[in-house]
Amino acid sequence: MDIVDWKHTAPNTVKLPITSATSGLMQKVTEKLFCLTTQIVNVCFIGDPTKAHGWVLIDTGMPGKSDMITEALIKQFGESNPPSAILLTHGHFDHVAFDLAQKWDVPIYIHPDELPYVTGEKAYPKPDATVEGGVVAKLSRFFPNEPIQLDDYVKPLPDKLDFAGLENEWTWLHVPGHSPGQVAFFRERDKALLSADAIITVKQDELFDVITQNQEIQGPPRYWTTDWTAAHRSVQKLRSLDPAVLVPGHGLPLFGQELRDSLAVLDQQFERIAVPDYGKYVQ
């Protein structure tokens, strides 16, 4: 089993030839929460990026997009200060990159169940290109699943998020299904939810929807979800929080009553909306 040393290869060799109409879009979602789309995946800024180590980066987006992130920081905040930490929702290649942690010299945190996939020990199951779905599902056969090596920068996610910028207001929730150690982040004060890939708002297997970012609440990406029973339980867990703001791993944010109504439909009709009719991971 080959180990991919993403310190050297990711920015140059892992290229996904898909982008979206919102790539490069920075949005202020709510107080001290910004969302940036890098190609087809979102990263989030929590806290005050005008202060060095006064904020936290959630995920790092597509490989090779570190310049997009630093340029977005400069454009929005006038400077590109390092965060106090990088927190990863999970370890799939479109959410993880090494170069920003190295550039800023800050630690990376991930759920303990994800550590084997980002310390070179274990490969994720391969994406299922045979699953029911559109062009992106078929292209998933080319998505890398090899073990990643994040070196000594990566650490297990602590129970308490007392990082500078989070102000002890944010908690994390274990939401497996899409990956064993996937987590979401929640702030009770304004009910802001970062749902990772447990709940997304674009049909991620359909190329047209991905490109246009056509908004439609969905379960996790079909081609890379290995446990649909756990995925549904994760949706139910997140719905029980009664979020008012949702920032997904893929797609545009959702708000208010539209969000609550959409979550109810997704939960109640999960088999129809989320679970594919066929595929090697369908139980």
Side-chain angles (χ1 to χ4, degrees):
M1 180 171 61
D2 295 330
I3 293 178
V4 176
D5 185 354
W6 279 31
K7 290 180 292 181
H8 305 295
T9 62
N12 300 314
T13 63
V14 182
K15 301 291 185 181
L16 188 63
I18 304 172
T19 191
S20 70
T22 58
S23 183
L25 175 65
M26 172 81 93
Q27 304 174 71
K28 182 176 182 180
V29 181
T30 186
E31 182 186 358
K32 294 185 177 181
L33 173 59
F34 290 78
C35 170
L36 171 69
T37 303
T38 65
Q39 281 186 246
I40 61 172
V41 63
N42 297 324
V43 303
C44 289
F45 308 81
I46 304 176
D48 186 357
T50 66
K51 298 178 180 178
H53 308 294
W55 62 287
V56 166
L57 176 64
I58 307 294
D59 286 346
T60 55
M62 296 295 298
K65 295 302 177 184
S66 60
D67 287 347
M68 178 183 285
I69 291 173
T70 55
E71 288 168 8
L73 284 167
I74 293 170
K75 183 177 180 180
Q76 184 72 39
F77 304 104
E79 49 197 326
S80 177
N81 288 312
S84 60
I86 295 172
L87 310 185
L88 300 178
T89 60
H90 59 299
H92 285 162
F93 82 100
D94 55 339
H95 294 261
V96 177
F98 180 86
D99 47 351
L100 280 174
Q102 190 176 42
K103 175 182 178 179
W104 287 328
D105 192 26
V106 297
I108 304 169
Y109 292 90
I110 198 168
H111 190 278
D113 289 350
E114 295 287 293
L115 280 172
Y117 305 104
V118 297
T119 54
E121 299 174 23
K122 190 176 181 181
Y124 282 109
K126 291 183 178 180
D128 180 13
T130 70
V131 75
E132 179 199 6
V135 172
V136 180
K138 308 314 174 192
L139 289 173
S140 69
R141 71 178 74 245
F142 302 110
F143 295 175
N145 71 303
E146 296 87 354
I148 301 166
Q149 177 54 268
L150 293 181
D151 215 19
D152 296 329
Y153 283 84
V154 68
K155 306 175 186 297
L157 189 66
D159 292 338
K160 188 176 181 180
L161 298 179
D162 57 357
F163 303 102
L166 298 186
E167 315 303 339
N168 291 312
E169 290 188 325
W170 289 83
T171 57
W172 63 263
L173 299 92
H174 186 206
V175 285
H178 181 60
S179 72
Q182 180 175 237
V183 297
F185 296 95
F186 183 67
R187 183 168 62 187
E188 175 65 36
R189 172 168 56 82
D190 58 359
K191 293 191 173 295
L193 172 64
L194 313 185
S195 61
D197 284 8
I199 300 170
I200 61 178
T201 62
V202 64
K203 200 168 184 181
Q204 192 66 14
D205 60 279
E206 293 286 354
L207 183 60
F208 178 81
D209 288 352
V210 169
I211 292 172
T212 62
Q213 292 292 281
N214 181 45
Q215 194 171 46
E216 180 183 359
I217 200 162
Q218 296 286 314
R222 289 180 166 189
Y223 47 81
W224 219 346
T225 298
T226 56
D227 188 335
W228 286 101
T229 300
H232 190 189
R233 285 198 296 264
S234 293
V235 167
Q236 293 172 324
K237 180 186 291 188
L238 296 181
R239 182 191 173 196
S240 72
L241 299 172
D242 190 30
V245 178
L246 181 141
V247 182
H250 302 273
L252 296 167
L254 265 178
F255 303 88
Q257 194 59 47
E258 181 183 7
L259 167 59
R260 295 185 178 96
D261 292 345
S262 297
L263 284 175
V265 171
L266 177 62
D267 179 15
Q268 295 161 8
Q269 302 184 37
F270 189 80
E271 289 287 329
R272 179 185 67 81
I273 295 172
V275 181
D277 288 341
Y278 55 84
K280 66 181 180 181
Y281 300 126
V282 179
Q283 297 166 343

